Amino acid sequence: MGLELYLDLLSQPSRAVYIFAKKNGIPFELHNVELAKGQHLSKEFFPVNSLQRVPTIKDGDFVLSESVAILIYLSCKYQTADHWYPADLQARARIHEYLGWHADRIRGTFGVSLWTQVLAPLIGTQVPEEKVKRNRTDVDRALQHLEDKFLGHKAFLTSQQVTLADLMALEELMQVVAVGYNLFEGRPRLAAWRERVESFLGTDLCQEAHGPIFNIVEQAANKTLPAPSPEFYPNMLLRISRIPRPPCSCHCYLLLSGSAVTAAPAMGLELYLDLLSQPSRAVYIFAKKNGIPFELHNVELLKGQHLSKEFFPVNSLQRVPTIKDGDFVLSESVAILIYLSCKYQTADHWYPADLQARARIHEYLGWHADRIRGTFGVSLWTQVLAPLIGTQVPEEKVKRNRTDVDRALQHLEDKFLGHKAFLTSQQVTLADLMALEELMQVVAVGYNLFEGRPRLAAWRERVESFLGTDLCQEAHGPIFNIVEQAANKTLPAPSPESYPNMLLRISRIP
């Protein structure tokens, strides 16, 4: 049959997919999966998406989840106007860069308001005011970065025309507006951007898509919103207990003594990274494996060099990895990997030209950003960084993180690896590289998550065999070394001024 969309307009990513399909005249059959009734958890929906997530699409026999993967797939298959997802390499990279940052800084942060203002009270619980205020602070900080780093003085986030980035951003921001925080007030640039996006999309379409979230908030205020079934309470309480969700990128806010980064004059490809960082290792391995020439700038996270005034002109978001390719500067690991793969025309298996094969990689990377990235980085904080400053993460949180890691590994095996050689196909892709580096972070701090998982262990062996033992050992050496130093109590303590940021990050471990 034709295209089928499984979604719920209460979900921000679902709204983005719905609006995109309607705006571009893409014909589809709509299946409304009511999240409030737990229909995404039902046995009827499980065969559609075993991860029980919306949005999901079926295009004949091809089933795809993860909103970014879906939007890119639809844009390419239906050859929508180029501005949505441009063919130009650098313009497309800008969209990937925003979407990577969005997954880390916007997605988990902006969805919290619905839980604090509507869903928690609905089941008779209250989110502590401290957490509510902290989330509001995180929202405001993200909005400032959104304006300064991405919007600037352009008409839209990544260019002078609407792209997928604007659509994804608008839907997240409207979720916060719906629950009563008019985040556009006092932000004229952002308010003007919203008007331009909604004007382009059409007022009627926006009102149709946003109606359900405003309606459910109004019902909650009037106490006419039906309570969920009791069997959903444990999952809801668990989700509420994890507010606020920490950003996925676990930057080490340690300020030790050390030399700062010096930005070199523009030349060939330059990589700014630290091999303690999982995404940095992925970029480094990819460039080395594919013989891509580069000049390396080591940005030492443990010395706070990513926060230095010398690094700020390279990346105002103070994140690694970052690349400079002449005058073109790009951050966010997935954006970088895709850019390098396309520019240097690496072997097709890394990032295939085939539409569905490429969609599978985007699907994994979307899930990875949500379920792997923030979860697997916690171990370094619980086992190394917290003890380094004389604090202890409660055992309950450590156990919870281990449970989350194990659950994600089960999904990784069942949903993505299955009985294939690699995560999305029979050949190594960017998905395998990103996954390996996150998993090795946990192994380094003492949890051999491959033990008792023969399929996953065999996958690791295949990936490392393809990449080369020497290259893997070179890339993984620093993280194993720092853990060994910590165990031997030879890792230098950070300076006291870094303690507040570190304690804040540790307090946000769910």
Side-chain angles (χ1 to χ4, degrees), residues 412-429:
L412 187 68
E413 282 195 291
D414 295 344
K415 165 68 177 175
F416 294 101
L417 181 58
H419 297 286
K420 303 187 299 299
F422 300 99
L423 291 182
T424 67
S425 70
Q426 296 299 334
Q427 292 183 288
V428 170
T429 72

Side-chain angles (χ1 to χ4, degrees), residues 5-245:
L5 304 190
Y6 294 79
L7 50 80
D8 186 335
L9 293 178
L10 294 182
S11 147
Q12 308 92 297
S14 288
R15 291 198 298 270
V17 169
Y18 180 81
I19 289 172
F20 183 79
K22 292 274 281 189
K23 176 64 180 176
N24 287 285
I26 298 171
F28 61 87
E29 179 182 351
L30 178 63
H31 300 276
N32 193 30
V33 181
E34 294 188 65
L35 299 176
K37 293 182 179 178
Q39 291 179 355
H40 58 304
L41 305 175
S42 68
K43 63 178 190 263
E44 290 81 10
F45 186 62
F46 188 85
V48 177
N49 185 349
S50 60
L51 293 176
Q52 302 173 309
R53 291 155 71 93
V54 292
T56 298
I57 67 168
K58 286 181 71 175
D59 189 13
D61 294 329
F62 183 66
V63 179
L64 186 66
S65 62
E66 299 302 324
S67 54
V68 169
I70 292 169
L71 289 169
I72 292 173
Y73 175 80
L74 294 179
S75 180
C76 294
K77 175 170 181 179
Y78 290 93
Q79 299 180 327
T80 58
D82 184 71
H83 65 80
W84 285 110
Y85 189 60
D88 178 80
L89 180 61
Q90 292 188 358
R92 184 171 287 192
R94 282 281 171 251
I95 295 173
H96 286 298
E97 179 183 46
Y98 171 77
L99 293 173
W101 179 83
H102 174 102
D104 185 17
R105 289 295 195 256
I106 297 286
R107 185 75 187 100
T109 303
F110 283 56
V112 166
S113 298
L114 184 65
W115 286 89
T116 61
Q117 305 302 309
V118 176
L119 300 179
L122 188 63
I123 60 171
T125 191
Q126 193 73 29
V127 177
E129 186 62 25
E130 175 195 355
K131 289 189 173 187
V132 175
K133 288 180 179 177
R134 188 184 298 165
N135 176 250
R136 180 65 60 86
T137 299
D138 291 343
V139 166
D140 289 339
R141 185 182 296 118
L143 288 171
Q144 196 62 51
H145 286 159
L146 186 69
E147 282 195 291
D148 294 344
K149 165 69 177 175
F150 294 101
L151 181 58
H153 296 286
K154 303 186 300 298
F156 300 99
L157 292 181
T158 68
S159 71
Q160 296 299 336
Q161 292 183 286
V162 169
T163 72
L164 299 181
D166 299 283
L167 182 54
M168 288 292 288
L170 178 68
E171 292 317 303
E172 289 291 340
L173 271 59
M174 290 307 298
Q175 197 86 345
V176 181
V177 171
V179 296
Y181 177 30
N182 184 3
L183 43 76
F184 297 105
E185 189 174 329
R187 295 186 173 93
R189 278 190 296 158
L190 209 58
W193 164 80
R194 173 193 175 182
E195 288 180 10
R196 287 190 291 269
V197 177
E198 290 189 335
S199 174
F200 175 83
L201 296 174
T203 303
D204 290 346
L205 178 55
C206 289
Q207 287 179 344
E208 176 191 355
H210 299 153
I213 185 63
F214 280 93
N215 289 342
I216 199 173
V217 171
E218 184 179 358
Q219 283 181 283
N222 296 333
K223 302 189 184 306
T224 57
L225 184 63
S229 321
E231 62 262 31
F232 298 133
Y233 278 38
N235 277 337
M236 293 181 72
L237 288 169
L238 180 61
R239 174 65 183 84
I240 291 165
S241 73
R242 295 181 180 186
I243 293 170
R245 192 177 88 172

Side-chain angles (χ1 to χ4, degrees), residues 155-433:
F156 300 99
L157 292 181
T158 68
S159 71
Q160 296 299 336
Q161 292 183 286
V162 169
T163 72
L164 299 181
D166 299 283
L167 182 54
M168 288 292 288
L170 178 68
E171 292 317 303
E172 289 291 340
L173 271 59
M174 290 307 298
Q175 197 86 345
V176 181
V177 171
V179 296
Y181 177 30
N182 184 3
L183 43 76
F184 297 105
E185 189 174 329
R187 295 186 173 93
R189 278 190 296 158
L190 209 58
W193 164 80
R194 173 193 175 182
E195 288 180 10
R196 287 190 291 269
V197 177
E198 290 189 335
S199 174
F200 175 83
L201 296 174
T203 303
D204 290 346
L205 178 55
C206 289
Q207 287 179 344
E208 176 191 355
H210 299 153
I213 185 63
F214 280 93
N215 289 342
I216 199 173
V217 171
E218 184 179 358
Q219 283 181 283
N222 296 333
K223 302 189 184 306
T224 57
L225 184 63
S229 321
E231 62 262 31
F232 298 133
Y233 278 38
N235 277 337
M236 293 181 72
L237 288 169
L238 180 61
R239 174 65 183 84
I240 291 165
S241 73
R242 295 181 180 186
I243 293 170
R245 192 177 88 172
C248 296
S249 55
C250 302
H251 293 311
C252 303
Y253 294 105
L254 311 187
L255 299 175
L256 309 180
S257 61
S259 57
V261 176
T262 301
M267 48 176 70
L269 181 67
E270 301 171 73
L271 303 189
Y272 294 78
L273 50 79
D274 186 334
L275 293 178
L276 293 183
S277 148
Q278 307 93 298
S280 287
R281 292 198 299 269
V283 170
Y284 181 80
I285 290 172
F286 183 79
K288 293 274 279 190
K289 177 65 180 175
N290 287 286
I292 298 171
F294 61 87
E295 180 181 353
L296 178 63
H297 300 277
N298 192 30
V299 183
E300 295 187 65
L301 298 176
L302 291 183
K303 292 181 179 177
Q305 290 180 356
H306 59 304
L307 305 175
S308 69
K309 64 182 183 210
E310 289 82 4
F311 187 60
F312 188 85
V314 177
N315 184 350
S316 60
L317 292 176
Q318 302 173 308
R319 293 155 70 93
V320 292
T322 297
I323 68 169
K324 287 182 71 177
D325 189 14
D327 294 328
F328 182 66
V329 179
L330 185 67
S331 62
E332 299 301 325
S333 54
V334 169
I336 291 170
L337 289 168
I338 292 172
Y339 175 80
L340 294 179
S341 180
C342 295
K343 175 172 180 177
Y344 290 93
Q345 299 181 327
T346 57
D348 185 71
H349 65 81
W350 286 108
Y351 189 60
D354 178 80
L355 180 61
Q356 292 188 357
R358 183 170 286 191
R360 282 281 171 251
I361 295 172
H362 285 297
E363 179 182 46
Y364 171 77
L365 293 173
W367 179 82
H368 174 101
D370 188 22
R371 289 293 190 261
I372 296 285
R373 185 74 185 99
T375 303
F376 284 56
V378 166
S379 297
L380 184 65
W381 286 89
T382 62
Q383 305 302 309
V384 176
L385 301 179
L388 188 63
I389 61 170
T391 191
Q392 193 73 30
V393 176
E395 187 61 25
E396 175 193 355
K397 289 189 172 186
V398 175
K399 287 181 179 177
R400 185 183 295 163
N401 177 251
R402 181 65 60 86
T403 299
D404 291 344
V405 166
D406 289 339
R407 184 182 296 116
L409 288 171
Q410 196 62 52
H411 286 158
L412 187 68
E413 282 195 291
D414 295 344
K415 165 68 177 175
F416 294 101
L417 181 58
H419 297 286
K420 303 187 299 299
F422 300 99
L423 291 182
T424 67
S425 70
Q426 296 299 334
Q427 292 183 288
V428 170
T429 72
L430 300 181
D432 299 283
L433 182 54

